[in-house]
Amino acid sequence: MRALSTVADPASRESLPSRWQRGTVRAAQGMIPVRTGETRRSIRPGTTRRGRATVVGKFTVNFIDAGSKAHDEPRQPGLTKTGRVSRRKRGTGKVLKFQMGGRTVFSKKVHKPRIAAHPFKKRAAREGLESVNWVTMIYGFWNRAA
């Protein structure tokens, strides 16, 4: 059994968690809705340690998966042209300024509509797990350890 544990090293690319992780990344990238492709490209394998493997991506992936409620976004006080909060101007911003339809619009708040959920995380994990050929893999580990 000691030989089997060295062959089935959790940190190797051939371990069960690593294969599951790669399968999940492939499945998730195919399921996520695309506008620019930036979020899809952000989904990638994370760390693999002690028999655990993670899949990481941009924070916005959570909003795509779970959706969001409609809400109002107030102005951000004291923003400079570079998007940073100025110490001198903190709390002095009075309006939001943005471009819409080629016109500059000023507003005290912006209403963000509800975003419908596109749940894909659990499905991607299941598909990634199903893509691993467990029986052949375990036989291979066992035969290499012998």
Side-chain angles (χ1 to χ4, degrees):
M1 284 309 251
R2 185 173 288 165
L4 180 61
S5 67
T6 58
V7 172
D9 178 25
S12 82
R13 288 188 51 83
E14 296 306 312
S15 69
L16 294 172
S18 293
R19 284 190 178 185
W20 184 4
Q21 177 188 46
R22 290 193 308 271
T24 301
V25 167
R26 278 192 302 274
Q29 286 178 338
M31 291 178 187
I32 198 161
V34 179
R35 269 195 205 159
T36 64
E38 186 178 342
T39 306
R40 178 180 276 182
R41 285 188 304 271
S42 78
I43 298 173
R44 63 193 184 284
T47 59
T48 306
R49 278 189 244 159
R50 291 187 231 130
R52 292 181 180 215
T54 59
V55 175
V56 296
K58 288 178 69 172
F59 185 71
T60 53
V61 168
N62 297 317
F63 295 115
I64 293 169
D65 187 59
S68 71
K69 294 179 179 179
H71 62 282
D72 290 331
E73 253 181 42
R75 63 178 170 77
Q76 293 183 356
L79 283 182
T80 63
K81 289 180 185 177
T82 59
R84 295 188 176 145
V85 177
S86 166
R87 286 185 183 171
R88 288 180 297 146
K89 295 182 178 182
R90 189 174 293 152
T92 61
K94 295 184 178 168
V95 294
L96 284 167
K97 176 184 169 186
F98 55 93
Q99 297 288 325
M100 190 162 122
R103 294 180 37 220
T104 303
V105 178
F106 296 91
S107 174
K108 290 196 178 210
K109 65 181 177 180
V110 174
H111 179 74
K112 295 283 187 170
R114 171 187 163 284
I115 298 173
H118 296 282
F120 70 94
K121 287 181 182 179
K122 286 183 183 178
R123 265 189 314 139
R126 276 195 210 104
E127 283 186 25
L129 185 58
E130 289 169 3
S131 72
V132 176
N133 190 349
W134 291 82
V135 176
T136 307
M137 191 174 185
I138 291 171
Y139 281 148
F141 285 153
W142 188 263
N143 291 333
R144 278 185 269 164

